[in-house]
Amino acid sequence: MCGIVGYIGKKNSLPILIDGLKRLEYRGYDSAGVSIINDNNEIVSFKRAGKVLDLDNSIDKDKFEGTIGIGHTRWATHGVPNDINAHPHCDMEYLFTLVHNGIIENYKHIKEKLKEENYIFHTDTDTEVLANLINYHFKKTNDFEKAVRLALVEVEGTYGIACLCVKEPDKIIVARKGSPLMLGIGNEETIVSSDASAIINHTKNVIYLNDGEMAVLGRNGFHLKTVEDEDIFRDVEVLDFLLDEIEKGGYDHFMLKEICEQPDTIQNTYRGRINFDTGVAKLGGLENIADKLFNAKRIIITACGTAWHAALVGEYMIEHYCRIPTEVEYASEFRYRRPILNSDDVVILISQSGETADTLAALREAKKAGATTLGIVNVIGSTIAREVEAGTYIHAGPEIGVASTKAFTCQIMSLALITLMIAAEKGTISKRKLIDLAGDIKALPEKIKHMVNRKEEYKKVAEAFVDCRNFLYLGRGFNFPVALEGALKLKEISYIHAEGYPAAEMKHGPIALIDNDMPVVFIAPLDRTYDKIISNIEEVKARRGRIIAIANDDDKNITDYADHVLRVPHTKALLAGIINVIPLQFLAYYIAAARGLDVDKPRNLAKSVTVE
Ligand code: G6P
């Protein structure tokens, strides 16, 4: 949600900032801007509504030369996305220039106070208020660092900021509370960014800032401290992914690349974590809470968006194979509704980014209540990963497409490993069954590869539905969350209204919508609910709905019922979510691409939602 980048070093900063913003754009893309300290020690800024490419095409590069600069790509929270509200923002005297992620919750109160001191405001943003508050404290202290610190102590809410000061033009000051920020430590240069994608092509050495911490970046290095003015020493960490992992590699979109990567990413999730001879899974990151997990009276899984759908699959898995009562909660609801938690409950937090504000707040609630917390996270070193008591990384690699695909299947894979680990320990499934399931896990990458290789078949079906206005997705059991995820993918990137439902619930409402304009996607593998699904298909057929079925390769019967069939290989229920969602990811992708939409940057969405 909004991306920040900053550079201080010996190189011309503009190309570095623009490149960084392009890589961060998946976090938000309503507007973008940069500010640079030029050779005359003036701050020059340029910002505009629209994408980073618009900024890049319209900026006069000759006027923006300088070795210190900051940039921002925005996802609007306060104020409409226009040129004026775009970042960077200045105080009324243009002493400070600031980019900001997050929300200053008490900005109205501060604004009123500053107005009484004759401060003038030009935008609707909370960021401009912060810039003026820094100015206010600078007037009293004549010290950039102190002014930023005193301002930050006064604000409530969340921030990740990078700030320039015309009076001290050899510095960038950055700080974080609730919005991620990290420093890339290069050779005589420091890059600051809200995530690693803008840093990795400069250096792999990074320092993560924690909440309540700030850094003063100078030409000869940096120093870290808390906003309460205590010095901090932190080890440098090394990023463990490669630049190609965040580039498109010949695909038209990141989303397509990420869908096609799933044979590898799934393997990365389970590699070294399961013994295929015994079926026993071992997750090193969970060892310190293993006893609590095995003896949990109840498991609560909480997450947002796609990760919430993975959580639902987890509920089915854990109850089915481990016999532990499991509940799934939207993180945004969980944190506000005074949930009853006990010390023998385990709360699992699932998050691709590890930064989603509601999921992070749910984690903190769970910890406060004394429950054991376990994270299933993709981004290494992210806040949730660092704050949970125990956790497992899904190792999906950087996910850039805003619509989550490979993270979803890897989240399910992680849940499957946790399920096998608990079930083996508790003896809730037989040794034979464990080995069987492990064999199915081993076979997954090949099966996914097979589906990726038939993407043209899926594309053909997609092209028949490009102009539809509504879609219904139906599934039962383990495939109900898959129906929800299929519908979410479609609406996120194609802007076609889509709903997912448990197939049998269709009769209690959605059936009223069915006519010959309504495509209905049935997830209909040959499992124990197959006959029931066929009955549901007949009900839709009787009302002239258009039927697309996700069906197994050897299901010859299905063509009697469905207008279109997306074929998938067989798998056990435990892994059905992973296999059956893949054609739905392709379906959504190809429909959106055929509509000519910006698949990787769907309107109004952001990859990582760091506001409530
Ligand atoms: C946003 C993204 C979704 C994602 C959700 C949760 O809405 O657009 O793709 O599923 O946040 O994000 P997380 O990073 O916590 O998994």
Side-chain angles (χ1 to χ4, degrees):
M1 181 129 302
C2 301
I4 286 182
V5 63
Y7 176 84
I8 180 164
K10 297 206 154 147
K11 298 179 191 142
N12 188 21
S13 59
L14 183 66
I16 296 169
L17 299 178
I18 298 275
D19 178 67
L21 290 179
K22 284 182 181 161
R23 293 179 193 281
L24 291 172
E25 207 175 12
Y26 71 100
R27 298 179 68 91
Y29 32 77
D30 293 338
S31 54
V34 288
S35 291
I36 281 165
I37 300 194
N38 67 17
D39 295 343
N40 301 324
N41 284 339
E42 296 155 344
I43 300 177
V44 286
S45 298
F46 186 76
K47 55 187 192 171
R48 57 180 301 156
K51 301 207 165 136
V52 177
L53 191 62
D54 301 322
L55 178 89
D56 191 18
N57 289 338
S58 46
I59 193 165
D60 179 350
K61 299 202 166 67
D62 295 338
K63 288 195 188 142
F64 284 82
E65 286 206 359
T67 53
I68 299 182
I70 56 177
H72 189 265
T73 171
R74 178 170 186 246
W75 187 87
T77 55
H78 286 78
V80 292
N82 58 19
D83 291 358
I84 292 179
N85 287 336
H87 293 222
H89 286 285
C90 295
D91 61 302
M92 66 173 184
E93 294 177 310
Y94 299 95
L95 301 183
F96 300 94
T97 300
L98 183 69
V99 291
H100 166 222
N101 289 349
I103 297 176
I104 306 296
E105 284 166 4
N106 58 341
Y107 84 107
K108 283 201 176 126
H109 170 75
I110 296 172
K111 196 169 183 174
E112 286 316 309
K113 180 184 114 173
L114 292 173
K115 275 184 177 165
E116 282 167 21
E117 303 279 336
N118 300 322
Y119 278 77
I120 297 162
F121 295 88
H122 304 285
T123 75
D124 307 326
T125 66
D126 50 345
T127 307
E128 188 192 14
V129 174
L130 180 56
N132 279 296
L133 186 62
I134 296 172
N135 171 303
Y136 173 82
H137 286 290
F138 187 77
K139 289 271 165 58
K140 303 204 153 139
T141 58
N142 207 25
D143 180 319
F144 180 21
E145 185 185 318
K146 258 192 204 150
V148 172
R149 266 197 322 97
L150 293 173
L152 292 180
V153 168
E154 221 176 296
V155 300
E156 286 161 19
T158 55
Y159 54 78
I161 60 161
C163 185
L164 301 175
C165 172
V166 83
K167 299 275 190 190
E168 296 184 33
D170 279 333
K171 281 181 192 160
I172 304 178
I173 295 186
V174 302
R176 90 158 252 180
K177 184 180 161 204
S179 254
L181 216 53
M182 60 171 75
L183 308 181
I185 315 300
N187 187 11
E188 298 189 85
E189 61 184 13
T190 307
I191 303 106
V192 58
S193 178
S194 37
D195 77 54
S197 54
I199 291 182
I200 185 79
N201 54 338
H202 302 285
T203 175
K204 287 195 155 195
N205 297 328
V206 295
I207 286 183
Y208 296 96
L209 290 192
N210 289 330
D211 281 352
E213 294 178 353
M214 59 191 282
V216 182
L217 316 181
R219 294 207 179 267
N220 299 318
F222 59 91
H223 75 261
L224 297 180
K225 51 169 53 191
T226 65
V227 290
E228 267 84 35
D229 206 18
E230 291 148 8
D231 287 328
I232 303 167
F233 300 94
R234 168 111 6 102
D235 288 337
V236 171
E237 295 184 41
V238 179
L239 290 173
D240 74 343
F241 62 90
L242 303 170
L243 187 57
D244 340 334
E245 292 183 68
I246 53 167
E247 301 203 316
K248 274 194 217 145
Y251 288 92
D252 288 346
H253 295 99
F254 280 110
M255 183 179 176
L256 182 59
K257 175 182 175 236
E258 287 159 4
I259 296 172
C260 295
E261 275 171 5
Q262 291 174 107
D264 295 330
T265 54
I266 280 292
Q267 204 165 1
N268 291 342
T269 307
Y270 71 68
R271 181 174 289 119
R273 291 168 159 177
I274 184 161
N275 178 334
F276 291 107
D277 296 330
T278 59
V280 176
K282 193 164 184 257
L283 293 158
L286 306 192
E287 263 165 24
N288 61 328
I289 58 139
D291 280 345
K292 287 186 175 157
L293 188 59
F294 299 147
N295 296 312
K297 291 270 176 310
R298 188 170 63 134
I299 292 178
I300 296 156
I301 318 179
T302 183
C304 301
T306 286
W308 185 83
H309 294 155
L312 281 181
V313 178
E315 177 188 16
Y316 280 76
M317 281 179 184
I318 295 171
E319 293 208 337
H320 186 91
Y321 294 103
C322 312
R323 311 303 295 147
I324 300 177
T326 305
E327 289 163 28
V328 174
E329 295 262 6
Y330 284 111
S332 53
E333 292 296 317
F334 179 76
R335 59 181 291 199
Y336 288 118
R337 65 165 191 79
R338 293 184 66 219
I340 299 167
L341 284 169
N342 299 306
S343 55
D344 46 15
D345 290 334
V346 173
V347 177
I348 301 181
L349 298 299
I350 308 180
S351 175
Q352 187 285 128
S353 63
E355 302 291 349
T356 300
D358 284 323
T359 313
L360 180 58
L363 161 63
R364 291 175 178 162
E365 276 302 308
K367 280 173 92 170
K368 226 191 293 165
T372 300
T373 57
L374 186 173
I376 298 178
V377 171
N378 190 31
V379 177
I380 296 179
S382 55
T383 311
I384 293 174
R386 285 182 292 140
E387 290 194 14
V388 284
E389 279 173 76
T392 180
Y393 284 117
I394 63 173
H395 295 308
E399 191 180 65
I400 309 290
V402 166
S404 184
T405 51
K406 62 177 180 173
F408 177 69
T409 49
C410 292
Q411 286 158 352
I412 298 179
M413 188 71 244
S414 292
L415 287 159
L417 294 174
I418 293 172
T419 300
L420 293 188
M421 182 175 142
I422 302 173
E425 175 68 25
K426 291 179 79 86
T428 44
I429 55 177
S430 69
K431 293 203 161 109
R432 183 73 260 144
K433 182 91 187 157
L434 267 179
I435 296 170
D436 242 35
L437 289 170
D440 245 44
I441 290 178
K442 201 173 187 180
L444 259 183
E446 271 312 306
K447 290 183 183 174
I448 301 174
K449 209 178 275 170
H450 182 62
M451 288 191 283
V452 168
N453 289 341
R454 67 204 309 185
K455 59 181 178 301
E456 290 299 316
E457 276 174 42
Y458 302 146
K459 183 177 180 190
K460 237 196 216 141
V461 174
E463 282 168 355
F465 293 92
V466 172
D467 297 320
C468 289
R469 298 182 53 205
N470 296 289
F471 256 79
L472 202 55
Y473 286 70
L474 302 174
R476 282 172 178 261
F478 281 81
N479 288 310
F480 159 53
V482 176
L484 295 179
E485 177 60 9
L488 178 66
K489 284 297 84 98
L490 186 72
K491 65 187 144 197
E492 279 180 313
I493 59 170
S494 72
Y495 317 142
I496 294 172
H497 170 248
E499 280 189 64
Y501 253 80
E505 275 293 303
M506 174 190 70
K507 294 189 284 292
H508 303 287
I511 200 164
L513 301 171
I514 290 168
D515 60 17
N516 57 2
D517 274 341
M518 175 67 105
V520 185
V521 180
F522 279 95
I523 302 153
L526 288 163
D527 60 16
R528 62 196 179 92
T529 63
Y530 181 75
D531 291 341
K532 308 266 176 235
I533 281 276
I534 292 292
S535 310
N536 297 138
I537 293 179
E538 299 223 63
E539 288 153 11
V540 171
K541 222 174 147 56
R543 289 157 182 89
R544 301 174 56 220
R546 297 163 72 192
I547 291 154
I548 304 170
I550 310 296
N552 290 137
D553 285 313
D554 54 349
D555 179 358
K556 304 280 177 273
N557 179 42
I558 195 76
T559 43
D560 294 346
Y561 302 94
D563 301 296
H564 300 271
V565 183
L566 303 174
R567 294 285 179 180
V568 294
H570 266 287
T571 192
K572 307 234 165 27
L574 180 80
L575 306 175
I578 297 176
I579 290 284
N580 297 333
V581 81
I582 289 173
L584 302 184
Q585 295 172 343
F586 278 119
L587 186 69
Y589 171 77
Y590 284 121
I591 290 178
R595 285 162 80 101
L597 297 169
D598 191 348
V599 174
D600 287 331
K601 300 186 201 101
R603 71 181 177 214
N604 303 338
L605 297 179
K607 182 73 187 158
S608 158
V609 179
T610 51
V611 294
E612 292 170 25

